[in-house]
Amino acid sequence: MTSPLPSSPYASVLDLAPVVPVVVIEDASDAVPLARALVAGGLPAIEVTLRTPAALDAIRAIADEVPDAVVGAGTVVTPEQVTRCVRAGARFLVSPGWTDVLLTAMRASGVPFLPGVSTVSEVVALLERGVREMKFFPAQAAGGTAYLKSLAGPLPQARFCPTGGIGPANAPEYLALPNVGCVGGTWMLPADAVAARDWGRIEELARAAAGLRSSGGTCR
């Protein structure tokens, strides 16, 4: 991501918290209480994925009603989605991969973005285009911490938010790497807690995830 967050003292989403919750919202009415629980637990950066029809309404509701949240859009794969998400109030964009067309649209949006990568060539191509912060996806399947550790030597200027297969057991290993700013995950949002609207449990899980910063993580 190449520009500061709007109305934020932080230069990057990677610097907000050690974990970015990756949220799939089926019912837009759950968006605000869920976001409030995550923020109360210490996880202000919230990635709402475009995997359900409720996603844009959820982004809009969080942007309007949860001022302490930094809501973003995930699974962004087209320029049209970039436009709709920013209009809905998304303050950052995350894609599972990238093309020049998508990258141009994300750059033109005026909000920070994390294009997805899983190979060295993709990382080098983004660095050539002036992008230094990326999503590493699918993290575990693409080589995990060993792969990212191998990238740190030849490509130290690249920073990553690994996502995919990460949970409380292996998140500290990722956060200990010098080229990892934060990780993305869903473990603080168990399906049964969301279905039961158990926002207190989600807040507790979020607080535990936020505490990973003090257990060896490098997110600043």
Side-chain angles (χ1 to χ4, degrees):
M1 288 180 291
T2 58
S3 60
L5 288 171
S7 304
S8 171
Y10 296 94
S12 165
V13 173
L14 273 64
D15 296 324
L16 286 170
V19 179
V20 175
V22 179
V23 181
V24 179
I25 295 181
E26 301 286 350
D27 186 340
S29 67
D30 291 337
V32 168
L34 187 152
R36 286 175 175 160
L38 292 172
V39 171
L43 301 181
I46 301 170
E47 177 189 334
V48 177
T49 65
L50 301 183
R51 300 180 189 179
T52 69
L56 284 176
D57 287 338
I59 291 170
R60 188 174 295 108
I62 295 170
D64 289 345
E65 300 183 45
V66 192
D68 292 332
V70 179
V71 64
T75 323
V76 176
V77 295
T78 69
E80 293 76 18
Q81 289 177 330
V82 169
T83 300
R84 290 197 296 268
C85 290
V86 174
R87 286 178 179 171
R91 295 174 63 187
F92 65 93
L93 305 168
V94 184
S95 67
W98 67 278
T99 64
D100 278 319
V101 171
L102 180 58
L103 188 66
T104 297
M106 291 193 293
R107 198 190 297 273
S109 72
V111 302
F113 54 91
L114 286 173
V117 297
S118 60
T119 69
V120 176
S121 294
E122 290 171 322
V123 176
V124 172
L126 283 177
L127 291 173
E128 285 182 349
R129 290 159 175 78
V131 179
R132 295 189 174 189
E133 297 189 348
M134 312 164 195
K135 172 179 178 173
F136 179 57
F137 176 83
Q140 282 292 95
T145 56
Y147 192 95
L148 286 173
K149 188 180 298 184
S150 298
L151 293 182
L155 301 171
Q157 65 271 49
R159 287 180 79 204
F160 300 95
C161 173
T163 305
I166 298 177
N170 61 359
E173 298 174 16
Y174 281 93
L175 291 168
L177 298 176
N179 55 350
V180 169
C182 59
V183 301
T186 62
W187 72 87
M188 72 297 301
L189 299 161
D192 59 339
V194 175
R197 295 177 168 84
D198 188 349
W199 311 128
R201 180 181 171 200
I202 289 172
E203 180 179 339
E204 290 178 4
L205 291 169
R207 185 169 292 110
L212 292 174
R213 170 179 298 162
S214 62
S215 64
T218 63
C219 192
R220 296 172 293 280

